[in-house]
Amino acid sequence: MTGKIAIQGELGSYSHEACRNARHNMEVLPCSTFEDVIEAVRSGAADQAMLPVENSTYGRVADSHRLLPHSGLHIIDEAFVRVHINLLAVPGAKLEDIREAKSHLVLLPQCGEFLRKNNIMGRVSPDNARAARDVAAAGDIHTAALASELAGEIYGLDVLEKKIEDRGDNTTRFLIMSREPDITRRGAHGMITSFVFQVRNIPAALYKGMGGFATNGINMTKLESYMVDGSFTATQFYADIEGHPDDANVQLAMDELAYFTTNVEILGVYPADNGRY
């Protein structure tokens, strides 16, 4: 796969690392916001987007997740990155020199135990890779960044401590999106179908709509709710299921869901990444 893939954040971010793992032949296009990432693909400035959607420690990445239903893009792949957080500093600095560490707001609590143990104050940065870049530019031995080893390589920082995250299973799931869908059967671990739907305003509509997946033996791996137009009574749901829309049992379940919903839209059909297993 060649072309450009857009990410939110700077070079050296975990999104960049995900691209190295899953799209290593593509040129990475850094963008300031998730909206900019999506627009880059829509406009043709990039061919694909790499969007983080959830972290095993932090939970849902709300800023990107809320954009999925109306992005106009299609999910064509997923990728999982084991998030190893490292303490990066300018060459010559030692662990005992570090008084503060900069990183994204989401990353700081994920290594809170290490920071407390070493009396290091966490400082918020817009992006973990941006933190690494800023630390390198400042040249202060008392300030470090919490980021990937890739960020250290790019910005010329030393790794003072590796894998300082509190949880040993800290993982982020990414979705790879493009302008055109790809519903071909592929991959070695089965297919995932992602879709959004709104239930009818009748009692137990969600419960009844979900019943078809259970009776047809379909594993639903995710169900998320969205508020619609700021209303507490109108709700849209996002779901991931194991299976392909052409599978007989998936067709039966989707037909039953349609009876209890006002709208069902498939966002993508793609192979399950082996990071799930």
Side-chain angles (χ1 to χ4, degrees):
M1 179 72 67
T2 58
K4 291 185 178 181
I5 184 165
I7 64 168
Q8 187 278 324
E10 311 242 353
L11 295 178
S13 65
Y14 292 101
S15 294
H16 185 185
E17 187 172 326
C19 293
R20 272 201 171 184
N21 295 341
R23 292 292 189 271
H24 60 275
N25 289 327
M26 299 188 75
E27 179 185 348
V28 176
L29 176 65
C31 299
S32 297
T33 67
F34 291 113
E35 288 88 349
D36 291 341
V37 171
I38 290 171
E39 184 54 34
V41 180
R42 282 176 175 167
S43 68
D47 302 286
Q48 295 181 5
M50 179 73 75
L51 290 175
V53 289
E54 57 190 320
N55 175 267
S56 60
T57 302
Y58 179 73
R60 181 167 72 174
V61 182
D63 285 349
S64 62
H65 222 284
R66 67 181 172 81
L67 298 172
L68 292 178
H70 308 294
S71 68
L73 304 181
H74 305 271
I75 306 167
I76 59 169
D77 257 321
E78 66 175 355
F80 291 79
V81 170
R82 177 66 180 80
V83 179
H84 292 304
I85 305 173
N86 307 278
L87 187 71
L88 308 178
V90 294
K94 298 180 176 62
L95 176 59
E96 54 266 29
D97 295 325
I98 305 303
R99 297 172 185 167
E100 65 177 32
K102 298 180 177 181
S103 196
H104 191 277
L105 178 64
V106 170
L107 221 63
L108 291 171
Q110 296 179 25
C111 49
E113 188 175 318
F114 175 87
L115 297 179
R116 286 189 295 271
K117 178 182 176 181
N118 291 280
N119 296 312
I120 298 173
M121 179 68 68
R123 300 293 186 191
V124 175
S125 174
D127 179 77
N128 56 78
R130 168 69 177 273
R133 190 187 75 179
D134 289 347
V135 166
D140 182 0
I141 65 168
H142 301 299
T143 303
L146 304 173
S148 66
E149 287 191 72
L150 176 59
E153 293 174 15
I154 291 173
Y155 301 109
L157 299 176
D158 287 348
V159 180
L160 300 187
E161 293 286 333
K162 290 185 178 183
K163 303 178 182 180
I164 62 173
E165 60 273 11
D166 295 342
R167 293 182 59 92
D169 58 355
N170 192 20
T171 302
T172 296
R173 180 190 181 211
F174 292 82
L175 295 178
I176 302 173
M177 307 188 74
S178 71
R179 289 183 296 277
E180 301 297 328
D182 182 357
I183 63 172
T184 59
R185 294 182 186 269
R186 56 203 190 277
H189 300 283
M191 299 293 289
I192 302 294
T193 298
S194 297
F195 56 95
V196 291
F197 63 94
Q198 294 181 31
V199 294
R200 294 169 58 194
N201 190 22
I202 58 175
L206 178 61
Y207 172 78
K208 293 175 181 177
M210 294 295 94
F213 296 96
T215 56
N216 285 286
I218 297 170
N219 186 27
M220 180 171 285
T221 59
K222 176 167 288 298
L223 181 64
E224 299 271 1
S225 63
Y226 294 84
M227 188 180 296
V228 178
D229 297 327
S231 170
F232 287 97
T233 58
T235 305
Q236 179 169 258
F237 294 89
Y238 168 97
D240 291 338
I241 60 170
E242 294 181 352
H244 190 284
D246 290 341
D247 295 340
N249 61 339
V250 173
Q251 289 180 350
L252 289 171
M254 296 298 279
D255 286 345
E256 189 164 341
L257 176 66
Y259 182 78
F260 296 101
T261 58
T262 57
N263 180 60
V264 179
E265 179 183 354
I266 292 179
L267 298 180
V269 183
Y270 50 97
D273 184 86
N274 61 9
R276 288 178 173 266
Y277 299 92

